[in-house]
């Protein structure tokens, strides 16, 4: 049986769906190293919670308990990803693009403080994009 060259495996993994790329992390050291560079080249982080119901709420109407819990879960995952980028130089070197999707009913942007520490650590970063969406009480939509 002939062995498939590593370069060919890298091209195959590049075109796999993300779920299958994640599975490759567990197959072998070689597959892990090939898949991780594709999986984390583009990182999405989310702060806040946006649902279609958010835009239809009246000013002052608050989130449900489930929405608040989901927002905390999403924020926690995002903080952990950004912390890992800022503290692990070898992981940070894999990141080529960071997209921040923030939804907030207020002007304060706590996520910007975390980005202050994360961006310098991502030495291979080629693109940073952010999408801001505010409730009807605000006016910011994207930048």
């Amino acid at each position: 049986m002939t062995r498939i060259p590593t370069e060919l495996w890298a091209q195959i993994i590049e075109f796999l769906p993300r779920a299958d790329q994640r599975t490759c992390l567990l197959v072998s050291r070689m597959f892990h190293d090939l898949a991780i560079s594709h999986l984390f080249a583009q990182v999405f982080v989310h702060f806040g919670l946006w649902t279609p119901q958010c835009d239809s709420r009246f000013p002052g109407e608050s989130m449900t308990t489930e929405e608040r819990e989901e927002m905390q879960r999403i924020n926690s995952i995002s903080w952990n990803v950004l912390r890992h980028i800022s503290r692990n130089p070898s992981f940070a070197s894999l990141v080529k693009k960071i997209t921040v999707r923030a939804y907030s009913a207020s002007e304060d942007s706590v996520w910007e403080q975390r980005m202050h520490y994360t961006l310098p650590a991502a030495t291979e970063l080629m693109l940073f994009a952010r999408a801001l969406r505010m409730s009807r009480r605000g006016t910011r939509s994207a930048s």
Side-chain angles (χ1 to χ4, degrees):
M1 185 163 101
T2 56
R3 288 186 47 133
I4 297 175
T6 304
E7 297 79 16
L8 185 55
W9 279 119
Q11 289 181 344
I12 292 168
I13 290 171
E14 179 181 353
F15 291 100
L16 289 175
R18 288 185 69 78
D20 293 335
Q21 289 177 344
R22 284 192 295 273
T23 302
C24 289
L25 295 174
L26 306 172
V27 172
S28 70
R29 184 54 146 172
M30 180 190 77
F31 276 71
H32 177 275
D33 293 345
L34 294 172
I36 200 165
S37 63
H38 294 291
L39 277 170
F40 296 104
Q42 183 172 355
V43 174
F44 292 91
V45 291
H46 303 265
F47 294 103
L49 179 68
W50 182 84
T51 63
Q53 296 82 12
C54 291
D55 272 349
S56 63
R57 286 194 180 123
F58 292 104
E61 197 174 348
S62 61
M63 284 190 232
T64 65
T65 303
E66 293 82 16
E67 288 174 329
R68 194 173 354 275
E69 289 172 356
E70 178 66 7
M71 182 179 73
Q72 290 170 345
R73 186 186 73 75
I74 290 169
N75 287 352
S76 178
I77 291 169
S78 294
W79 286 126
N80 288 335
V81 167
L82 293 176
R83 185 180 304 115
H84 192 62
I85 292 169
S86 66
R87 293 182 179 173
N88 186 327
S90 62
F91 180 74
S93 69
L94 299 173
V95 179
K96 308 291 187 265
K97 178 181 178 182
I98 298 175
T99 301
V100 176
R101 294 190 174 135
Y103 178 78
S104 175
S106 66
E107 285 293 329
D108 73 12
S109 299
V110 177
W111 64 269
E112 288 177 343
Q113 295 172 4
R114 176 56 64 188
M115 295 310 299
H116 176 73
Y117 296 104
T118 302
L119 291 177
T123 57
E124 300 298 316
L125 188 67
M126 298 180 338
L127 180 64
F128 171 71
R130 68 181 183 157
L132 301 174
R133 183 172 180 107
M134 299 188 71
S135 69
R136 290 183 178 186
R137 289 164 276 187
T139 57
R140 191 181 285 179
S141 60
S143 62

